[in-house]
Amino acid sequence: MRIALFLTCVNDAMFPATGQAVVRILERLGHTVEFPAAQTCCGQMHANSGYRDEAVPMVRHFADTFAPYQAIVAPSGSCVAMVRDAYPRLWPAAAPVAARTYELSELLVDVLGVTDLGAYFPHRVTYHPTCHGLRMLRLGDRPQRLLREVEGLELVELPEAEECCGFGGTFAVKNSGVSSAMLADKCAAIGDTGAEYLAAADNSCLLHIGGGLSREGAGSKPVHYAEILANQKGAG
């Protein structure tokens, strides 16, 4: 299958290793992965802030850029939710491309029909289901099903896992006090698991939670689950 990688802004600017991990996973499965260099922001920040008309040019550009591909994959539940949920309402002609856009676990489990990727990660891991993936994409346990197949990985349940971490795009900026309280609860729950790593599907949430864990001197380190799935014996 010819698959396009939609890397998203946060990953492009701060977490390029996550996109590289997605490419390694899919190429290991025998697929052709391309990175359309013309891709830009999906417009989520504009739309979520009330600037819907200003987001439409980015919607049109996304649809034009990714139209040639059989499938589009992103390591972000947040941006995929923007594409799948908001694009058809902002510009109906984008609906066909939006329907072919998947969060990584959707592509692997639902489209490609695989859960065992031959990964190796000998660590204790807990998983935070981010809000867009949980409530808009309804990813369910797809990421956990993939993680359970990883050799050496011990997946431990996160207490109150469905509680938001307090990031939420501009929410953390506009409501810093409430956001900080939510983050403290999330960090405490992670600490209770004794996990070495906290995995999630959105690096934006991991950036927020990781800041809290770092300030507290906690033992858990944030990692995008794609980077776990890409890891193999002898690689670390």
Side-chain angles (χ1 to χ4, degrees):
M1 181 180 288
R2 186 184 179 208
I3 301 171
L5 173 63
F6 168 40
L7 187 54
T8 81
C9 300
V10 170
N11 289 319
D12 185 35
M14 305 186 70
F15 300 97
T18 298
Q20 293 166 354
V22 173
V23 173
R24 291 202 303 275
I25 292 167
L26 294 175
E27 288 186 342
R28 190 190 305 163
L29 294 172
H31 299 283
T32 299
V33 185
E34 298 182 15
F35 177 82
Q39 63 182 278
T40 65
C41 172
C42 66
Q44 181 183 179
M45 293 296 287
H46 305 71
N48 287 356
S49 300
Y51 296 97
R52 291 177 173 78
D53 290 344
E54 287 78 1
V56 171
M58 283 170 270
V59 175
R60 297 171 66 109
H61 182 74
F62 182 99
D64 291 342
T65 301
F66 289 99
Y69 297 95
Q70 294 172 271
I72 301 104
V73 65
S76 167
S78 176
C79 295
V80 171
M82 169 65 186
V83 173
R84 286 240 298 276
D85 181 70
Y87 274 23
R89 288 183 280 110
L90 290 168
W91 192 53
V97 174
R100 301 199 301 275
T101 303
Y102 303 96
E103 189 277 333
L104 177 63
S105 69
E106 293 177 309
L107 180 71
L108 292 172
V109 175
D110 298 346
V111 180
L112 304 181
V114 295
T115 53
D116 188 346
L117 298 162
Y120 176 70
F121 197 75
H123 299 284
R124 185 178 177 93
V125 177
T126 193
Y127 183 82
H128 167 61
T130 60
C131 292
H132 283 88
L134 180 70
R135 289 175 245 281
M136 295 187 72
L137 296 180
R138 301 187 184 281
L139 294 181
D141 69 345
R142 292 177 182 83
Q144 292 95 324
R145 288 166 62 187
L146 293 163
L147 290 172
R148 289 190 191 103
E149 296 293 337
V150 176
E151 183 181 352
L153 188 151
E154 179 188 2
L155 185 63
V156 294
E157 185 175 352
L158 177 64
E160 307 297 335
E162 296 187 0
E163 296 292 330
C164 175
C165 69
F167 178 65
T170 58
F171 177 85
V173 177
K174 295 176 178 176
N175 305 277
S176 59
V178 176
S179 173
S180 295
M182 296 169 75
L183 175 62
D185 289 346
K186 181 61 66 176
C187 289
I190 295 166
D192 288 343
T193 68
E196 301 169 74
Y197 287 90
L198 168 70
D202 280 275
N203 272 324
S204 52
C205 299
L206 287 170
L207 179 67
H208 180 66
I209 300 171
L213 294 172
S214 177
R215 284 191 295 274
E216 293 180 4
S220 299
K221 292 177 286 189
V223 61
H224 195 288
Y225 81 92
E227 295 178 49
I228 293 176
L229 299 181
N231 196 62
Q232 292 185 296
K233 273 186 178 177

